Amino acid sequence: AQKITQTQPGMFVQEKEAVTLDCTYDTSDPSYGLFWYKQPSSGEMIFLIYQGSYDQQNATEGRYSLNFQKARKSANLVISASQLGDSAMYFCAMREGGRKLIFGQGTELSVKP
Amino acid sequence: DTGVSQDPRHKITKRGQNVTFRCDPISEHNRLYWYRQTLGQGPEFLTYFQNEAQLEKSRLLSDRFSAERPKGSFSTLEIQRTEQGDSAMYLCASSLALAGVPNTGELFFGEGSRLTVL
């Protein structure tokens, strides 16, 4: 069974607009963490934001925020004021307990000038 | 540079040859992970170490694959008798996990080693 599902293979957004990238997850472990990574065309994986399953508030890091809806098992990434440099692949990932990260299939974001 | 480093960055080999990749993690990190990524896909977990102990191996890791972390520092990933299906980017990542110390456990990735099997 897919643990992490990203249903948007590709997304387009106009520069300076906000965009939401979807992520749903599946786990029965009460303790888990959710991550978003960015992978530009150069290939390196860049950590963006983290949300713990017990965190009461949605995580925010600069222009990135994570819309965490625990009951719906969703952890969508919101990027505000998109920039051309935001064009990249975005991966949602989950860690159950203290173990490995499992990644979704990714969403390719293209920012239009 | 104190990040995760991987060597070589690119490797082209003929089918049937053996290849070895090396990963040097961030020095104070006790966990080291190997992932494989093919074009247009997310990274797939292969294996991870805590210090020198290999704690988990994916079923993706066939008997042609072996990973070691002999002194709990750098790690090697060897692929024997390479096949064309092994062509991928091999990513190494490290993290710090301390019992009783809460942290996000984020993974810090290297730039990857791209393998092409002809």
Side-chain angles (χ1 to χ4, degrees):
Chain A
Q2 274 287 73
K3 292 271 190 174
I4 294 284
T5 303
Q6 295 181 253
T7 56
Q8 307 153 312
M11 290 280 287
F12 289 91
V13 65
Q14 203 69 37
E15 194 179 6
K16 300 180 185 176
E17 299 286 308
V19 63
T20 298
L21 306 183
D22 295 342
C23 173
T24 57
Y25 60 92
D26 183 28
T27 182
S28 56
D29 193 327
S31 176
Y32 55 90
L34 298 157
F35 301 76
W36 277 91
Y37 280 81
K38 172 184 178 182
Q39 188 177 42
S41 56
S42 53
E44 76 271 28
M45 295 283 283
I46 302 167
F47 167 74
L48 296 178
I49 196 166
Y50 167 82
Q51 180 85 43
S53 59
Y54 295 118
D55 294 343
Q56 296 296 311
Q57 304 217 340
N58 287 344
T60 60
E61 287 286 347
R63 295 186 300 111
Y64 304 109
S65 60
L66 199 152
N67 184 1
F68 181 45
Q69 298 189 43
K70 197 169 183 176
R72 297 179 63 182
K73 293 188 175 179
S74 75
N76 299 339
L77 177 70
V78 180
I79 306 174
S80 63
S82 297
Q83 302 172 356
L84 295 178
D86 294 334
S87 294
M89 286 290 291
Y90 288 81
F91 293 99
C92 180
M94 178 177 67
R95 164 179 283 128
E96 295 174 301
R99 302 191 300 275
K100 61 186 183 285
L101 256 62
I102 303 167
F103 287 83
Q105 298 284 74
T107 295
E108 183 173 11
L109 177 67
S110 298
V111 180
K112 295 181 173 181
Chain B
D1 184 15
T2 56
V4 178
S5 63
Q6 293 187 244
D7 184 70
R9 295 289 312 283
H10 303 274
K11 178 73 177 178
I12 300 173
T13 191
K14 291 183 179 178
R15 190 171 46 141
Q17 298 293 303
N18 299 344
V19 296
T20 299
F21 300 113
R22 175 179 169 126
C23 173
D24 287 89
I26 294 172
S27 58
E28 63 268 26
H29 284 182
N30 55 353
R31 284 195 177 174
L32 187 148
Y33 301 77
W34 286 100
Y35 285 82
R36 180 172 68 187
Q37 187 178 25
T38 52
L39 200 60
Q41 302 295 313
E44 296 174 294
F45 170 78
L46 293 178
T47 188
Y48 89 95
F49 295 83
Q50 178 145 323
N51 300 312
E52 65 275 8
Q54 189 172 20
L55 294 188
E56 188 171 348
K57 288 172 57 173
S58 164
R59 281 171 285 182
L60 291 175
L61 216 64
S62 76
D63 56 6
R64 296 185 298 105
F65 288 69
S66 62
E68 295 183 340
R69 194 182 183 199
K71 297 181 181 178
S73 56
F74 74 91
S75 174
T76 58
L77 176 69
E78 181 182 18
I79 309 173
Q80 296 182 325
R81 304 182 303 281
T82 51
E83 301 173 357
Q84 288 183 324
D86 297 332
S87 295
M89 176 75 85
Y90 290 85
L91 294 168
C92 177
S94 69
S95 71
L96 181 62
L98 297 174
V101 177
N103 64 57
T104 67
E106 73 186 78
L107 269 57
F108 293 81
F109 281 85
E111 293 180 309
S113 293
R114 182 169 295 285
L115 174 65
T116 302
V117 182
L118 302 176

